[in-house]
Amino acid sequence: DNLRQGFRRETELLFGSIVREDRNVLDLLRADYTFVNERLARHYGIPGVYGSRFRRVPVTDDARRGILGQGSMLAVTSYATRTSPIIRGVWVLGSIFGAPSPPPLPNVPSLDEGTVSASLPMRERLAAHRNNAVCASCHRTIDPVGFSLENFNAIGQWRDHEANDVPIDVSGALPGAGELHGVAGLEDALLRRPELFAGTLTEKLLTFALGRGVEYYDAPAVRRIVGNAAKDGYRFS
């Protein structure tokens, strides 16, 4: 429970620092610092942090830059016992990239995971989605995004191998950006289209501000906010 609370606090403190310091909102994806206490630092392998107090520390591992490498995001987009490239892919596409995947088609049954060996690498276990014509159109877009984050286990610890010492294949892809490799490649691809993330963040903030979802007639306001922000280095204000 201490670790779970630490995940949340880390993300809250990072977001708060970007607001208070009026930083570029892209720092949510690329920040070279984070906030940890001893328990969280030990989880991430950051040395020299002691005690329960959270403090700001530099991030020297590129894989941990920004929210893509934080345990909060990685844990809530996983199942209790394993990662989920599907959930992670859907989250990145919808909440970061601004291109949410469509909902599943009606009356499409879930795959019976009991028929797939748990000892297979995750990429092979999910191959049935892409081999099923009904599912393939969406999963060929979703799954490669999630695969790029597979170096992180279900609670955000780094790993290079799956069960049975099988090396993890983190090759992936992002629509419009082509093929990429690992979390660093995903971050670079997202940062090449800063207006997409800025637009998605604007829509999320407007949802909180207005107390309703963003509608099609809000699009001019979103474009105006993003355009003005781009002229000022995408500062949070």
Side-chain angles (χ1 to χ4, degrees):
D1 187 60
N2 286 340
L3 185 61
R4 180 183 62 82
Q5 293 182 39
F7 286 159
R8 177 168 181 161
R9 186 64 178 149
E10 176 190 20
T11 303
E12 290 173 343
L13 289 170
L14 176 66
F15 182 79
S17 73
I18 290 172
V19 176
R20 288 193 309 274
E21 298 167 22
D22 199 13
R23 300 175 69 95
N24 188 321
V25 297
L26 297 178
D27 285 353
L28 282 167
L29 300 177
R30 66 185 184 192
D32 59 359
Y33 67 93
T34 191
F35 297 84
V36 296
N37 61 3
E38 181 177 355
R39 179 68 184 88
L40 195 54
R42 187 166 71 250
H43 184 75
Y44 289 153
I46 299 173
V49 178
Y50 304 100
S52 60
R53 180 181 62 85
F54 276 79
R55 77 288 315 263
R56 183 169 174 159
V57 298
V59 172
T60 57
D61 182 355
D62 287 347
R64 292 291 179 190
R65 289 161 58 101
I67 59 175
L68 292 177
Q70 290 193 349
S72 58
M73 185 281 287
L74 296 164
V76 300
T77 55
S78 296
Y79 292 117
T81 57
R82 66 166 176 82
T83 62
S84 174
I86 297 171
I87 298 176
R88 287 179 175 177
V90 168
W91 185 83
V92 170
L93 288 170
S95 297
I96 301 293
F97 194 56
S101 56
L105 295 173
N107 303 319
V108 175
S110 299
L111 288 177
D112 181 6
E113 293 198 6
T115 64
V116 181
S117 172
S119 64
L120 288 174
M122 182 62 70
R123 192 177 291 263
E124 293 183 28
R125 277 189 264 173
L126 296 183
H129 286 116
R130 298 182 301 281
N131 294 335
N132 184 319
V134 179
C135 306
S137 60
C138 291
H139 281 278
R140 285 174 183 164
T141 300
I142 296 169
D143 294 2
V145 178
F147 287 143
S148 68
L149 297 170
E150 273 294 283
N151 276 136
F152 298 109
N153 69 9
I155 54 172
Q157 289 176 307
W158 185 265
R159 59 186 183 162
D160 292 306
H161 298 85
E162 289 192 71
N164 301 325
D165 210 32
V166 177
I168 296 174
D169 180 2
V170 292
S171 58
L174 188 69
E179 297 182 356
L180 52 87
H181 187 81
V183 61
L186 178 60
E187 178 189 316
D188 288 342
L190 292 168
L191 291 173
R192 285 200 297 270
R193 297 291 304 278
E195 73 283 358
L196 296 181
F197 175 64
T200 303
L201 180 61
T202 298
E203 292 180 358
K204 303 293 184 185
L205 292 171
L206 281 173
T207 297
F208 281 107
L210 300 173
R212 63 168 175 81
V214 175
E215 304 291 345
Y216 69 91
Y217 47 77
D218 296 309
V222 172
R223 289 195 297 268
R224 185 169 61 252
I225 292 169
V226 174
N228 290 336
K231 299 172 187 175
D232 196 25
Y234 289 110
R235 290 195 301 161
F236 193 90
S237 59

